Amino acid sequence: QVQLVESGGGLVQAGGSLRLSCAASGRTFSNYIMGWFRQAPGKEREFVAAIRWSVGTLFYADSVKGRFTISGDVAKNTVYLQMNNLKPEDTAIYYCAARPSSIISISINDYMNWGQGTQVTVSS
């Protein structure tokens, strides 16, 4: 099994920044797709960003392009989500997830391992 632990969430005013971290343990993730998802109260969990660690391929949801940046450190088994120019609509629980594949997917069902989530709250 693989364990994923998110950290870095908190309360920030609109226009501010946060950096989320996801630390993975259990095995090396060099051949995995790592993704970030979020879920706001009363809404479905949605895709945010993903990275193919082996070659550095990145993919973002349209709602966060230009504001969020996903990156990873394979040696540390850690993936990051830098969130800039945050908006109130970014408020959600953010989850990291792992997919044992070389193909990036935005589907929740394609990710095998999930963290517990970290709360991000953006005030006006």
Side-chain angles (χ1 to χ4, degrees):
Q1 62 179 338
V2 175
Q3 294 80 43
L4 303 174
V5 180
E6 303 97 331
S7 62
L11 174 64
V12 64
Q13 290 189 326
S17 299
L18 287 172
R19 189 179 77 158
L20 306 183
S21 299
C22 176
S25 62
R27 62 172 295 160
T28 302
F29 280 79
S30 60
N31 296 319
Y32 276 62
I33 302 297
M34 299 297 298
W36 285 97
F37 294 78
R38 66 186 182 185
Q39 187 167 20
K43 296 185 178 181
E44 297 289 320
R45 190 170 300 185
E46 66 176 357
F47 172 80
V48 175
I51 181 171
R52 182 183 175 187
W53 272 357
S54 61
V55 297
T57 303
L58 310 176
F59 192 77
Y60 297 94
D62 288 342
S63 60
V64 305
K65 284 182 178 178
R67 300 189 298 120
F68 291 11
T69 302
I70 187 171
S71 62
D73 187 330
V74 176
K76 296 181 178 180
N77 281 345
T78 301
V79 64
Y80 305 95
L81 185 68
Q82 178 66 47
M83 305 185 294
N84 298 326
N85 192 24
L86 283 161
K87 303 176 181 180
E89 52 263 43
D90 294 319
T91 295
I93 300 175
Y94 283 71
Y95 301 88
C96 64
R99 166 174 161 80
S101 173
S102 62
I103 307 299
I104 288 180
S105 173
I106 66 171
S107 174
I108 293 173
N109 293 333
D110 287 338
Y111 289 79
M112 299 297 295
N113 304 100
W114 293 84
Q116 81 290 340
T118 185
Q119 178 70 49
V120 172
T121 303
V122 184
S123 62
S124 300

